[in-house]
Amino acid sequence: MTYSEVIKQDHPEGTMSVKAFKLVSAVEREMLMGDKAHINIECIECCGKNLYIGTNDCFIYHFLLDEKISTAGKVTFAATKQLHKYLGFKKSVTELKAASALTRLLVLCDNTITLVNMMNLEPVPTGARIKGAVTFTLNENPVSGDPFCVEVCIISVKRRTIQMFMVFEDRVQIVKEVFTPEQPYAVAVDGYYLCLALTTQYIILNYNTGISQDLFPYCSDEKRPIVKRIGRQEFLLAGPGGLGMFATVDGISQRAPVHWSENVIGAALCFPYVVALDDEFITVHSMLDQQQKQTLPFKEGHILQDFEGKVIVATNKGVYILVPLPLEKQIQDLLASHRVEEALVLAKGARRNIPKEKFQVMYKRILQQAGFIQFAQLQFLEAKELFRSGQLDVRELISLYPFLLPTSSSFIRSHPPLHEYADLNQLTQGDQEKMTKCKRFLMSYLNEVRSTDVANGYKEDIDTALLKLYAEANHESLLDLLVSENFCLLTDSAAWLEKHKKYFALGLLYHYNGQDAAALQLWVKIVNGDIQDSTRSDLYEYIVDFLTFCSDQDLVWKYSEWALQKNEEVGVQIFTKRPLEEQEKNINPDDIISRLNKYPKSLVKYLEHLVLERRIEKEKYHTHLAVLYLEAIFQLKSVATDNCTETTELLFKLRSLLQKSDLYRIHFILDKIRGTDLHMESAILYGKLEEHEKALHILVHELKDFHAAEEYCIWNSENRGLQYRQRLFHMLLSVYLNTGTSDCALVMAAVDLLNNHAAEFDAALVLQLVPDNWSVQLLCPFLAGAVRQSIHTTRMTQIALGLAQAENLIYKHEKLFNNKCISIFL
């Protein structure tokens, strides 16, 4: 963003305060001037423990500052005067800059910069100096690369002139002279870039290329300009409207401005704070959120500077140091005031000042604390994100909820504590609605983290707590938890489920822990009504399904009896729906049949399963099933005069079995049927015995079912060849015609048989059988079909003969050709 855009923005002052600095006296008035009231402090410089003070009577004072920290954490400074030096002018010492690499102090007095020794304050023997300087600054990002020199930038007494010098241990060398569009009043340097306060505006000037960039206007007649380098290629300026503006060397702002006083005198940087001085106060502003954080009353101050992280402020008579409180304490104070956002912003900003590993530990803890603050305010989404980011040991959260952690858990809360609450009751003040919301949040959070790395090492604690929450809330996810992979501790979980009467869920827990007998015992009690649990209305069917896939044969035998007593047709599924490999390996069908003998419906279904589904080819199973069908049919016929639906269904099943199976004892079944009205079944059995005349006679004369007779011929001749089928149809025709009576129905049945199945007859034999009085018109469809079939057969025979002759001719040609080739070769 450009500076013109920044200026237009409204930046309200922060109304909240935080104790970021403490003002501590460093040099008292008596140490500096004694009873000489006319002596005033004009400038200061600090390098390590060395403090230099320039006064209005042309003296330089050198002090050693000794920082002391009491056991209570209180910081004090003891200043020891080393010496003082009179420079011999009648003017004030207006600026001091230390060049520690050269052990030199640069002193500006009477427009002259003198090089003096830092230790004894004596001028260098060569008398090296820079004349004609109004003010000066050092380039903290030098371009020369020479470690044994410093780069100095001065505002010259020449109008609109800036000069660059290289200062060595005992000499100075001018490097560049730059002319500015207006008279400069303040300057800061970074590399080749000069940030200048001119008469009416601030500009960035590259003294190497001469390219300049206008920043924003200001009036030098109305206010004192401030130009301060705060970092690589970035400056802080006193802008219009009481704004502290940030500017890069590209002429843009990467930070929002801070809102300070209109009458600001000086500014200093102690990351993450900008400190400003006006006539009455020292104000502290955050560079992270641009809010004012602290205000310290301070009158008559006229100097504010920072030296290697140390912020020093001075009046005319004394020097003070702004001691920053540890960032961690500031953050904890913010958290104690529930100012979460400010605490997090400050914590993130502290990263550059704290070693990486230490910062990570500190920052995680801060995130966790902030998470609990948001949690206590029922800001669950924010709390969840903070817990995740801070990699919270989720047991810290679970421990707030009474009785959720397993009794075997060894968890101990963090010390110092992450929050101020003993438990959820204290946090919610007994408010049941809030408590319910907190429990709902914990359910959601535990469900999300249980399958992540957060759960590693204490999955039992998480899953057990989640089970307890689900059970207490009657939550549908309780069953999902127990039927999937889980780490619920059996003892704690079982007691809790029993307490909340979740007996079906308790059975699932037993099953997951390999205690199927206990699970089945519980479930059977529920179905029998001994205990109450309405979780599943279909629990009986569930138990049957459970037993179907149970590999413990003892349990299957034990509870299958109970299941069959409850419902034969459903209970038998324990055996009919078992996995095939389980049926083949572990359970003998004969044992099952023996057990099912007192349950006829179950027995029928199981034999149907063996015969029709598994297709087991054992005579005894097929015969047994047929006999059971017959017995059931006879039983139904004995109590009902009309054909009921059940009888019809059984007859259909019996006929299907008799038709499709070749494994039952035919004579045995036939003996049971003989003398009954099961004519169709008798016909099927005679057909199996190849006694087709008897079968067809029953169908035609007993049942008078001509369609069934035709179907009989078709299914009995399946996969038997054309001649076999023709033989059956000729038999049926003979049955129709050789009755000795002129039954019109039989005559019409014979005509329909011939006309509908002409291809199934030998026309020559048919013509010998039919009566002479039948007209050609009556047999027209049959004769047309017979002729068509005869012609088709003749033509197909001719084609086959022609193909054979052609194949024979090809063979002879190939043989003759091969013989000729052999003769030539020989």
Side-chain angles (χ1 to χ4, degrees), residues 479 482-483 503-505 507-509 511-512 516 519-520 523-524 526-527 535-550 562-563 570 573-574:
L479 304 185
L482 289 170
V483 298
Y503 299 113
F504 175 71
L508 292 177
L509 178 69
H511 168 57
Y512 189 81
D516 287 351
L520 284 166
W523 294 336
V524 167
I526 296 172
V527 175
T535 302
R536 289 195 72 133
S537 59
D538 62 342
L539 182 55
Y540 168 74
E541 289 79 4
Y542 181 87
I543 294 173
V544 169
D545 190 58
F546 182 87
L547 289 168
T548 299
F549 293 93
C550 180
W562 171 84
V570 176
Q573 293 175 7
I574 295 170

Side-chain angles (χ1 to χ4, degrees), residues 113 124 198 220 261 301 328 403 418 566 616 671 687 691 761 785:
I113 300 174
V124 295
L198 304 181
S220 60
S261 166
E328 193 165 357
F403 309 116
L418 295 172
K566 284 284 181 186
I616 294 179
D671 288 343
E691 297 180 19
F761 290 93

Side-chain angles (χ1 to χ4, degrees), residues 538-639:
D538 62 342
L539 182 55
Y540 168 74
E541 289 79 4
Y542 181 87
I543 294 173
V544 169
D545 190 58
F546 182 87
L547 289 168
T548 299
F549 293 93
C550 180
S551 58
D552 187 331
Q553 291 187 48
D554 293 336
L555 286 178
V556 172
W557 290 123
K558 178 178 178 180
Y559 288 101
S560 62
E561 191 78 22
W562 171 84
L564 289 165
Q565 288 172 0
K566 284 284 181 186
N567 188 319
E568 281 190 51
E569 296 186 33
V570 176
V572 74
Q573 293 175 7
I574 295 170
F575 305 109
T576 60
K577 291 190 176 181
R578 292 185 76 75
L580 186 58
E581 63 274 9
E582 184 76 17
Q583 294 187 50
E584 292 174 346
K585 291 180 182 179
N586 297 331
I587 298 183
N588 188 337
D590 293 338
D591 295 336
I592 298 173
I593 291 170
S594 175
R595 181 170 288 262
L596 295 177
N597 274 330
K598 54 184 176 181
Y599 304 105
K601 291 181 180 179
S602 296
L603 182 56
V604 168
K605 287 193 171 294
Y606 183 67
L607 286 169
E608 286 177 343
H609 168 69
L610 295 179
V611 172
L612 304 178
E613 294 178 15
R614 290 185 57 188
R615 300 184 184 278
I616 294 179
E617 297 183 352
K618 284 191 176 183
E619 173 271 323
K620 61 180 179 181
Y621 299 150
H622 289 245
T623 302
H624 196 169
L625 181 58
V627 169
L628 289 175
Y629 283 153
L630 282 171
E631 290 175 351
I633 291 167
F634 294 153
Q635 174 67 25
L636 288 170
K637 284 181 177 289
S638 67
V639 297

Side-chain angles (χ1 to χ4, degrees), residues 38-136:
H38 66 281
I39 298 177
N40 292 328
I41 297 173
E42 294 292 329
C43 59
I44 55 176
E45 170 68 312
C46 186
C47 182
K49 291 186 176 184
N50 298 288
L51 175 67
Y52 300 93
I53 299 175
T55 62
N56 60 338
D57 58 351
C58 205
F59 273 86
I60 302 173
Y61 292 82
H62 178 199
F63 294 89
L64 279 183
L65 285 178
D66 188 20
E67 183 177 349
K68 296 180 180 180
I69 304 176
S70 69
T71 53
K74 182 179 180 181
V75 178
T76 57
F77 290 91
T80 307
K81 183 177 177 181
Q82 302 299 300
L83 71 158
H84 61 275
K85 179 72 176 179
Y86 176 62
L87 296 183
F89 298 102
K90 294 183 179 180
K91 300 288 183 73
S92 302
V93 177
T94 53
E95 271 192 76
L96 296 170
K97 297 291 181 185
S100 57
L102 309 178
T103 63
R104 295 290 180 263
L105 187 67
L106 281 68
V107 182
L108 176 60
C109 181
D110 195 20
N111 298 128
T112 300
I113 300 174
T114 305
L115 275 63
V116 303
N117 188 290
M118 286 181 64
M119 297 299 103
N120 57 24
L121 302 183
E122 293 293 333
V124 295
T126 60
R129 62 187 61 194
I130 300 172
K131 294 183 178 181
V134 177
T135 184
F136 77 101

